[in-house]
Amino acid sequence: MWEGRALGLDALATTIVVVFASVPTSPASSVLASRMGGDGALAALLLSGVLSPAVLLVACEARVHAHTPRLNAVIVEAFDAAKAIESRIGDDVRKLVGLTTFFISVQYGTEAIRLAEKAVALDPGTTLPRLTLATALRLNCRRADAVAAYRTIIEIEPTNLTARFNLAELLRASGENSRAIELYRLILEERPDDPAALAGLAIALHGTNDEEAASVAELAAKADPSNAVMHASIAFHFLRSKQPYKALDSADRSIAASPTSVWGYIAKARAMRVLEDYDEAERL
C-alpha cells in the first residue's frame, strides 16, 4: 500500500484504488463512470484529463458509502473537490458535460443545471449538452423546462431516440398519453425490440386500448427477460388495470430476474392482497 501513502491517500482511499484497479474488464475511470450513473466515455475523459487521484477517490468514496451515515459528508467533500477543478476545465464542452454528470450523480441539481447551461451556451447547436441539461432539469423537478429541452433537441436532431424516449416518459407520467404513444411508436419503428419503449407504450395504452397494452407488455417482457424493474413496472400497470393474475405473473418474472430487488415482491404482495390471499401478502 506504499503507493497510496505516496499519493497522500488514507487507507480507505487506497483500498478503493485497489478495488477499481482489480476490475479486469474496464479502466478505473470507466468503472467509476458507470457507478456515477453517467456516460462512461465522458466521465473517463473528465477523470483522466482533469481530476487528480485524490479527487477521483472522493467521488468513488461517495458511491461506496451510499446509504450509510457517512454518505452526506463524503458527497460534500466530492462537491467541494469537483467545484475546485471547474476553473481548470475552461470552455471544454465535453469536460463540462462530464462534470455535470458528476453533479447529477450526487444529486446536486442546481450545480448540474448551472454547468449544463454553460455547456449549452458554448455549443448550442449540438445535442449532448442539451441532453445533460434536460436530465439536470428533471432532477430538479422542473418538468416543463425538461419537456422544452427535449423538444429543442428533437428540433435540432429529429432522429435523436434518447430525447424521444425521455420526452415520451415525461408526457406519459403527466397523463399526456396520446402524444407519448406517438413517440413510443416512432422509436419502435427504428428499434422494434426496444424493451423500454415497449414497456412505456404498454403503460401509455392502458385505458385506451387494453388489448394492445397487454400484447405489447408481453413483447416487452420477452425482449428483456432479465430486466427486473421493467417486469415490476408492468406488474404495477396490470394492478392499476385490475388484472391481478397478469400482475402476479409479471411480479414473479421480476423476482426470478432479480431475487434481491424489492419491487417484484412489492408488486406480488399487492397482487396477492387483491386476490385476498392476505397470508401470502403478509409473508412477502
Side-chain angles (χ1 to χ4, degrees):
M1 297 296 181
W2 64 269
E3 296 92 342
R5 289 195 295 271
L7 287 171
L9 306 177
D10 61 22
L12 174 60
T14 303
T15 300
I16 295 169
V17 168
V18 173
V19 170
F20 278 7
S22 68
V23 177
T25 57
S26 303
S29 55
S30 293
V31 175
L32 174 60
S34 65
R35 295 193 178 190
M36 285 166 59
D39 182 298
L42 280 175
L45 172 69
L46 172 70
L47 295 173
S48 63
V50 178
L51 290 177
S52 67
V55 175
L56 183 153
L57 290 168
V58 170
C60 296
E61 196 179 352
R63 310 312 296 169
V64 169
H65 284 283
H67 310 301
T68 71
R70 173 142 170 74
L71 175 61
N72 288 338
V74 170
I75 286 181
V76 169
E77 291 176 44
F79 173 76
D80 291 340
K83 285 198 71 174
I85 64 159
E86 183 183 343
S87 61
R88 295 171 59 187
I89 291 175
D91 291 342
D92 188 315
V93 172
R94 286 184 62 81
K95 289 180 180 179
L96 279 170
V97 170
L99 188 57
T100 303
T101 300
F102 169 76
F103 281 116
I104 289 171
S105 77
V106 293
Q107 300 183 39
Y108 274 94
T110 302
E111 284 299 309
I113 290 171
R114 181 182 65 79
L115 285 168
E117 287 178 338
K118 180 178 178 181
V120 168
L122 288 166
D123 191 4
T126 59
T127 57
L128 180 61
R130 292 183 182 276
L131 282 169
T132 312
L133 174 59
T135 302
L137 291 166
R138 290 180 71 177
L139 175 63
N140 263 28
C141 300
R142 289 171 54 179
R143 177 200 164 276
D145 291 332
V147 166
Y150 285 125
R151 284 180 168 150
T152 300
I153 293 165
I154 293 170
E155 289 174 4
I156 295 170
E157 186 182 335
T159 59
N160 191 300
L161 297 184
T162 300
R164 281 185 188 173
F165 176 76
N166 283 295
L167 178 57
E169 293 283 279
L170 279 173
L171 294 173
R172 176 178 60 78
S174 302
E176 299 178 51
N177 286 337
S178 59
R179 180 57 182 142
I181 288 169
E182 292 176 15
L183 289 167
Y184 287 129
R185 293 196 192 282
L186 285 172
I187 294 168
L188 291 168
E189 285 178 7
E190 298 190 37
R191 295 182 182 175
D193 297 323
D194 186 307
L198 287 166
L201 177 59
I203 295 169
L205 284 167
H206 168 61
T208 58
N209 190 335
D210 287 344
E211 184 177 347
E212 185 184 2
S215 174
V216 173
E218 186 62 29
L219 289 174
K222 289 179 180 178
D224 192 1
S226 64
N227 190 326
V229 174
M230 184 189 70
H231 290 307
S233 297
I234 293 172
F236 287 120
H237 155 68
F238 282 131
L239 284 169
R240 287 193 297 272
S241 59
K242 296 180 171 55
Q243 300 179 71
Y245 288 104
K246 289 184 177 180
L248 190 60
D249 178 64
S250 292
D252 282 335
R253 294 186 190 192
S254 177
I255 292 168
S258 179
T260 59
S261 174
V262 300
W263 296 110
Y265 294 101
I266 292 171
K268 184 171 184 176
R270 291 185 180 179
M272 299 309 294
R273 287 183 63 83
V274 172
L275 294 170
E276 298 184 0
D277 189 341
Y278 300 113
D279 289 339
E280 178 64 10
E282 181 66 23
R283 185 189 70 79
L284 291 166

